[in-house]
Amino acid sequence: MSQMNRRRALQLLAALGTTGLAAGCGSGTDTADETKPGSPIKIGLIVPGSGPNKVIGDEITNGFQLFLALNDGQLGGHPVTVVTAEEGDTAKTGQAAVDQLLKEGVLALTGVVSSVVMTGIRDAVEQARVPLIGSNASPISLQSVVYIWRTSYVLDEPGEALGQYLRQIFENKESARIAIFGTQGQSSRDVIDGLRKGYEQGGRRLTEEPIFTPDYPNPGKTAYSGPIAKALGRRPDAVFCHYTGVQAVQFIKQLYAQGYRGPIYAPGFLTEGTVLSQLDDGERGEERALIQKCGIETALNYSADLNNTANRVFASAYRKAHNASPTTFAMASYDAAQVLDKAIRLVGGNLTPQQVNLALGKIGQIDSPRGAWQFNQPRTPQQKWYLRKVQLDGQLLSNIVISELATLG
């Protein structure tokens, strides 16, 4: 048996619960690192502490810490120390974070914002046999994993949900033109692949080629003007885009500045976090008026206004702690803590990373702020997707759920 096949066999044996046999084959960690009932445990949190993804990292940190704050600082009856490591934005920096946390003796890992980092650390996590609960969207290519779980979603899913919706909107228009924008890189390609999957059924086709713009960390006020002008020259019926944070703000501003007055559709990242507050120029502002008149609709697995008991508890506590509404990033990290809590509780006494990983497959349905969900076979959520529209909520622009789109996963 080759070294790689032997390693894979050990991983699969661990996932099936034969941790004793795996240890006998040379792991040496299953019994040495057992944790006694009620004793302290460490959880490793991998997030960026600087750069354009820092705001997402802060949300992920806030969500995980909020669950601990509401549960006496414990997971599964064990006091928790959260050890944070810098994610960076490359496979190398992600690997350094994993190495650091493994040396700390963490029971499990969580976090990870960047798809590049998640892909880059895959093999290290699988070989270490320590579960990672990723709490941000992950790439389509991350498959056939044993120790990596995700509480957010796979990147093609919001595109697929919106594709199905747009197919219905334009069912009576034979050749609707949808201008498609995204950043260069695999994340936008995954999102657009999902859009095609959802839209191109029953003979329909997306006729416009996607326009991929540079992944600007801080785009200028004319960064997107040229590509936008080119697309608007074909008089699209709608715009679909994949941008986040400051890129989302600048893209929307420049789209309106170039004269576009149609609807905008996007994964929910477009209007998450502080984007709407940066676009909202007040009661008499032109951008607020255009957003209300033309419409921005997004697909996401969460909205802070969802009316269920779990979300009322979560959103209220989050607003009290941070004076802001929670985002999907915070929610997914809160759920990462929740699934670890359930898995650790299931294991009971002598904890090992391998036993926790096995228990993660047995926790069943999660009572989440997004609504009930459960892990599917690829270790991602089977969950509802919501259509949200940017509307006034009191005096502020907010993402308001207007319908359910689909259940995916």
Side-chain angles (χ1 to χ4, degrees), residues 44-361:
L45 178 63
I46 303 173
V47 287
S50 61
N53 284 336
K54 180 182 183 300
V55 63
I56 300 175
D58 290 345
E59 289 277 336
I60 286 173
T61 300
N62 292 344
F64 198 89
Q65 293 287 5
L66 181 62
F67 184 90
L68 292 178
L70 295 176
N71 290 274
D72 299 321
Q74 297 186 0
L75 293 177
H78 293 261
V80 173
T81 297
V82 177
V83 185
T84 303
E86 171 60 46
E87 174 178 332
D89 55 9
T90 67
K92 185 176 181 179
T93 57
Q95 178 68 62
V98 170
D99 291 344
Q100 173 193 332
L101 294 172
L102 292 177
K103 289 178 181 177
E104 291 276 355
V106 297
L107 182 67
L109 303 163
T110 190
V112 188
V113 173
S114 166
S115 292
V116 172
V117 171
M118 178 63 86
T119 302
I121 66 176
R122 171 203 168 136
D123 289 348
V125 171
E126 294 286 292
Q127 291 165 19
R129 300 169 63 225
V130 173
L132 164 62
I133 319 298
S135 48
N136 195 25
S138 60
I140 298 173
S141 59
L142 190 66
Q143 299 179 0
S144 301
V145 289
V146 174
Y147 283 87
I148 299 178
W149 307 72
R150 276 71 45 90
T151 56
S152 184
Y153 58 85
V154 181
L155 278 164
D156 63 339
E157 290 178 352
E160 182 178 355
L162 277 174
Q164 295 175 6
Y165 175 63
L166 291 174
R167 191 177 74 248
Q168 296 171 3
I169 288 178
F170 294 118
E171 63 180 348
N172 295 321
K173 189 175 180 65
E174 186 173 344
S175 57
R177 288 180 174 171
I178 302 174
I180 304 170
F181 293 86
T183 56
Q184 293 169 352
Q186 194 58 48
S187 293
S188 285
R189 295 184 187 279
D190 284 353
V191 168
I192 294 168
D193 283 347
L195 175 68
R196 292 190 184 281
K197 181 179 179 181
Y199 187 84
E200 293 187 338
Q201 298 179 25
R204 297 198 68 90
R205 290 291 179 267
L206 290 169
T207 58
E208 304 299 304
E209 286 297 316
I211 297 174
F212 294 105
T213 58
D215 191 8
Y216 301 112
N218 190 22
K221 294 182 178 181
T222 60
Y224 305 113
S225 297
I228 288 173
K230 179 181 178 181
L232 296 188
R234 295 179 58 81
R235 302 181 66 182
D237 298 290
V239 165
F240 177 93
C241 60
H242 179 237
Y243 294 103
T244 64
V246 65
Q247 294 179 346
V249 173
Q250 283 301 324
F251 180 81
I252 295 170
K253 284 177 176 287
Q254 291 171 42
L255 191 61
Y256 289 145
Q258 290 287 322
Y260 181 67
R261 298 296 181 265
I264 301 171
Y265 301 96
F269 288 166
L270 186 77
T271 53
E272 282 290 274
T274 62
V275 171
L276 291 180
S277 64
Q278 294 180 65
L279 288 171
D280 196 344
D281 48 4
E283 186 175 349
R284 298 183 180 181
E286 182 180 3
E287 283 170 3
R288 174 189 274 203
L290 286 172
I291 290 171
Q292 292 180 269
K293 179 181 178 181
C294 303
I296 298 178
E297 295 184 358
T298 63
L300 201 59
N301 59 348
Y302 175 71
S303 183
D305 68 325
L306 287 174
N307 187 21
N308 62 63
T309 301
N311 190 49
R312 287 194 292 272
V313 171
F314 167 68
S316 175
Y318 193 93
R319 290 185 180 107
K320 184 177 181 180
H322 301 288
N323 195 31
S325 292
T327 64
T328 187
F329 311 115
M331 178 278 297
S333 188
Y334 180 89
D335 274 3
Q338 184 173 189
V339 301
L340 281 171
D341 177 71
K342 287 180 174 292
I344 291 168
R345 203 173 296 278
L346 270 178
V347 173
N350 295 324
L351 290 173
T352 68
Q354 296 78 27
Q355 290 169 329
V356 171
N357 194 70
L358 177 64
L360 285 166

